[in-house]
Amino acid sequence: MLIVDQGAHKIRKVDAASNNISTFAGNGSQGFSGDGGQAALATFNNPTATAVDAAGNVYVTDQSNQRIRLIDTAGTILTVAGNGNVAFSGDGGSATAASLNYPGGIVLDSSGALYIVDSVNQRVRKVRQEQLSVQAPWSLSGKNSVVVSVTTAAGNAQVTVPVLGAQPGIFILDGASSGATHSSDGSVAGASNPAARDETLVLYLTGLGPVQNTPASGDAASLSTLSPTVIKPTVTIGGFDSTVIFSGLTAAVATGTVDLTVTANGVTSNTAKIPIR
C-alpha cells in the first residue's frame, strides 16, 4: 500500500506481510529536484495522489510543482506531464511541455493512458502512452545497466535500465499470436496454414544476446558471413524440445539468382545457382 504523506513531501509504503512502513519516494524537503535519479533522493512539493500501472510503475501527482512524475520499477523518477508553469497550455503536444494548474487525482486505463484532474483549469486531461523502438548497440555487451536518454524539442528524459546477457522475445506475426513461418515459402504458420510434423519453421526473435562475427551497431548482417548467437537457445513446441538448426542474425540476402558452393576439407566445389526471392 502506498500513502501520500503530503505535509512530509513523501510517498510512503506499507508492506502487506510485515505491516512495516518505509519511505518509497521523497527526501522530505519541499522543492523540485531529482529527475533521472533515485526517487528516494528526489524532492516533491505537496504530492497529492498516486496510480500504479500494470508493470508496477508508480505515477505521482506533484501538485505544487504542477507536474505528474513517474517512478519506474528500478526506483528512477522522471516527469511525464507538466512543465512546472501554473497555466493551461499544451493540448495536442508533448505532455512534458504542457502547463497544468494544480493537478489532483490521476488514474490509468487498461491501455496505459493516464488521466489527470487538472483542478483549477476545470478539465480532465489525457496523456497517451507513446512507444519508441530502438536497437541496443552491440557495445552494451558485458554491462549490467545503462542510462537511456531521450531528447526531444520538449526536453530530455533519462532512465536507468538493466542489461541482461539475453532476454528473448518472439515477434508476433499476425492477430492470432502466430510466431513462426514456413521455411518453404515464408508464409505465416497460422490456423489456415498450420505447421506439419517434422517441418522446418523459421522464428524471428529479438534479445538473443551477443553474436559471433558482430557487425557494426546499426548495420545489416553480412551477406557472406553468418553471425550465430554465442548463447544457443532452446526451443519448445507444445511442451516438447525442438532441434535448433541455426540461431543468429537474419542475413541480408540479396534477391535474384546467387551462387551456391560447398567447401569440405579445404576444397571448394563447382558453382551452382540458386534463386532467392
Side-chain angles (χ1 to χ4, degrees):
M1 179 175 65
L2 295 174
I3 300 171
V4 177
D5 196 350
Q6 187 174 39
H9 308 290
K10 293 181 176 182
I11 307 300
R12 306 181 76 182
K13 182 177 182 179
V14 177
D15 182 79
S18 65
N19 204 39
N20 290 334
I21 190 168
S22 61
T23 295
F24 177 74
N27 64 13
S29 297
Q30 184 177 10
F32 174 75
S33 69
D35 273 9
Q38 286 295 296
L41 303 177
T43 55
F44 294 94
N45 194 346
N46 295 320
T48 59
T50 61
V52 183
D53 68 15
N57 300 304
V58 177
Y59 293 76
V60 179
T61 300
D62 196 356
Q63 187 175 66
S64 295
N65 280 325
Q66 317 302 329
R67 290 174 167 93
I68 309 299
R69 303 173 78 179
L70 178 147
I71 303 165
D72 68 17
T73 54
T76 303
I77 188 169
L78 67 153
T79 296
V80 294
N83 60 14
N85 295 327
V86 181
F88 173 77
S89 71
D91 273 8
S94 170
T96 53
S99 295
L100 305 174
N101 198 337
Y102 289 90
I106 51 177
V107 68
L108 295 145
D109 68 15
S110 59
S111 73
L114 174 68
Y115 295 83
I116 305 167
V117 176
D118 196 357
S119 302
V120 181
N121 281 325
Q122 308 296 323
R123 289 173 167 89
V124 176
R125 305 180 75 179
K126 179 180 180 181
V127 180
R128 294 188 300 272
Q129 296 297 309
E130 298 175 333
Q131 177 175 310
L132 178 65
S133 298
V134 297
Q135 180 186 18
W138 297 110
S139 56
L140 296 185
S141 180
K143 297 181 181 295
N144 295 319
S145 64
V146 293
V147 175
V148 176
S149 177
V150 178
T151 302
T152 68
N156 173 269
Q158 295 183 341
V159 62
T160 301
V161 298
V163 176
L164 302 177
Q167 188 170 0
I170 302 173
F171 287 110
I172 301 303
L173 305 175
D174 61 13
S177 297
S178 301
T181 63
H182 298 280
S183 63
S184 58
D185 60 7
S187 62
V188 175
S192 62
N193 188 23
R197 289 180 176 85
D198 296 324
E199 178 186 2
T200 299
L201 299 172
V202 178
L203 285 71
Y204 295 94
L205 296 95
T206 185
L208 289 179
V211 298
Q212 301 173 34
N213 307 314
T214 307
S217 291
D219 284 358
S222 170
L223 283 168
S224 58
T225 305
L226 290 177
S227 296
T229 57
V230 174
I231 303 169
K232 186 173 181 179
T234 59
V235 176
T236 60
I237 299 177
F240 295 95
D241 291 337
S242 178
T243 301
V244 177
I245 299 171
F246 173 77
S247 168
L249 299 184
T250 303
V253 178
T255 58
T257 301
V258 298
D259 293 342
L260 170 65
T261 60
V262 177
T263 300
N265 198 30
V267 179
T268 301
S269 71
N270 59 307
T271 300
K273 300 293 182 179
I274 181 171
I276 303 293
R277 65 180 176 186

